Amino acid sequence: MTRAERRHLRNGLLFAAPWLVGLGTFLAFPILSSLYLSFCDYSTLQPPVWIGLQNYRDLMGDTVFHKSLSNTFIFAAMALPAGLVTALFLAILLNSGVRGLPIFRTLFYLPCLVPAVASAMLWLWVFNGQYGILNYALSGVLDPLNSLINSLLSSLGSDARVHLAPPTWLSDPNWSKPALAIMSVWGVGGTMIVYLAGLQDVPAELYEAAEIDGAGWWRKLFHVTIPCLSPVIYFTLIIGLINVMQFFTAAYIMGGGPMGGTAGMPARSTLFYAIYLWGQALEWLHMGYACAMAWILFMIVVILTLIAHGTALRRITYLG
Amino acid sequence: MEPRTIYGRVLTYILLIVGSCAFVFPFVWMLGTSLKPIEQTNTMPPRWVPYDYKATLNGRYQPVIRDNNPLTAPVLVVRMTEGPQAGIKRVIGVDEYKDGKARTVIAGSTEWLGATLLYRAEPGWYYVKERKETEQIDAPAEWDLLPPEKIDGRARLFWENYPNAIRKMGTTRVWIPFLGERTIPLFFLYLRNSLIVCTLGVIGTVISSALAAYSLAKIPWRGRGVLFAVTLATMMVPFPVLMVPMYALFKTFGWVGTLLPLWVPPALGTGFNIFLLRQFFLTIPRDLSEAARIDGCSEFGIFWRIILPLSRPALAVVALFHFLYAWNDFLGPLLYLTRRETFTLSLGLQAYQSQQGGVDWSSLMAASTLVCVPIIVLFFFTQKTFIRGIATTGIKG
């Protein structure tokens, strides 16, 4: 090693020293010890006891675990596509040379700033089955619809009557996950700004060429805009996947809080993976079991990322 | 992709206006609810304008709570003089009073007991009661019935909901220098704690991340490729993987119940911030730092005098995003904080909600608004940095 190389090594390590300490103490050590603990019976009160694969075997037979996993996947399948499509749609609208772009952009972005706890409170109130504003608006649509259908039915001589009523959202096991998905669409402003920046990089020549070839709005969308934006979409998809699998705060507040009580209300329909993991770790002190769950989550995230990576690479178009 | 036709342009604006109204509406609803008196939040259809009602009650002209629904049938108001309810005011049907006696059901059997007729209320009259300064949900207060023309209503925003919400979130006794022991609302402690966690975390993460990013971008040392790969990989680790060992670790440190676990780890740098700053440092031409090196400037001197001043926009993005993250974080405080005096605003707001049980919507919305306001104000002062930050962090990935 030359003198210069030694000096660079010393300086490099010195500059990175705080991060190396943090990396070791608050990342490497916890990651390795949680892997170790996932093979142990551990309650923090006594030292961990090695039990091999028992935690993982127990998880395979744990019906609540299966429920939390399927809840999370169903929620992800609703929230992720809805969020990405909304963000893309808004970004395309904003990118079409409208006046007042900064104002619209700010309005769409504002919800992203709201702390998760406050937005959970806000949406609890919006979704309130009795006095919530959403159901007031919906019954404004559904009531005339009901009377229209009923008058049609009676004019046809039928005795059947319909009564379409808005759902009670967070109190209804069938509607609680769609409600949370609607809430998450409210927070797509960040993704929208990422797409908007991506759209501004799409070369204008491509659109001109497409127009010369006689392409309409939809053809340009599917053959120019989306292919050019594909790396950005891929990136936001991965980030979205990692985040949605750890969905916690709003579910914790809107689903009734601590496990011992009423977590995942109603009827465990909002018992998401991170909520169950939290309950196992912090409320029942099954720390080893929770670590096994955390590692399964980690593996799921890695596998989903690899799948997204594999399928995306064939479809992504990178611009220069 | 600009729409060619006038219809396309009109449609674009319509969609944008409808969409932005839908995005903003929940805020309007939150703010609107926070400015209503509690009894005017539970109405269907909702009331858009809060009303302040005043009437003469118990011989005094004063603020009153008016029930939302007027009477549909006449009733009699009597005061019982006999039986277990003696002395209590009752509202009964017009056929339930005869010759100084009111029909009363005691343990399933009907009896006629002595009562004085106070007045008769007609359809259209409203129930009213005193509005107490400190409105407790379960405070017993007697209802009276008044005709609508004797109740004065005036549209008014109930700004007092804000100080009331702060008081309802709880108080505690603390020792303040020069003032001695004082009772102060917990809200101010929550605010202080949030500010401590955010400020120390921001200062730490900006310095540590910039140092590490400089090492990765500008110093050609062996092993930096590996460190960069590891740094990137840390961004993928879900927090639950770290949760249990971190909790155990901070327990042995004796840090559980303090703010330290919330700001010390990010203050040593985070993968995302280091990545962001490294990408920015790479765009700074080598010639600048080389020239300084030839002039005899030390490595730290180059970092401090050349790279950092040129990187202000990127540093601002890191600082803002960490502030936002730490302000909004809920899982961390929920995991490590045990006493209410150490709670951050997010956790304090959730504690208040779960304790009051979701009835007092106007106070809850006032408290939620208070938690949002600092972040929104911060956003309006730093909008450009914010938007640029989101755009670049997204694309550079």
Side-chain angles (χ1 to χ4, degrees), chain A residues 9-28:
Chain A
L9 183 63
R10 195 198 61 202
N11 280 337
L13 287 174
L14 269 180
F15 272 82
W19 170 233
L20 288 172
V21 172
L23 188 66
T25 323
F26 303 121
L27 281 154

Side-chain angles (χ1 to χ4, degrees), chain A residues 29-54:
Chain A
F29 167 75
I31 290 172
L32 295 177
S33 63
S34 100
L35 183 61
Y36 171 73
L37 288 174
S38 76
F39 299 108
C40 291
D41 186 10
Y42 181 51
S43 66
T44 70
L45 306 171
Q46 274 117 28
V49 180
W50 181 269
I51 53 167
L53 284 170
Q54 193 56 45

Side-chain angles (χ1 to χ4, degrees), chain B residues 17-35:
Chain B
I17 289 166
V18 170
S20 51
C21 287
F23 269 64
V24 169
F25 193 75
F27 284 111
V28 177
W29 182 236
M30 170 166 82
L31 206 62
T33 305
S34 77
L35 293 169

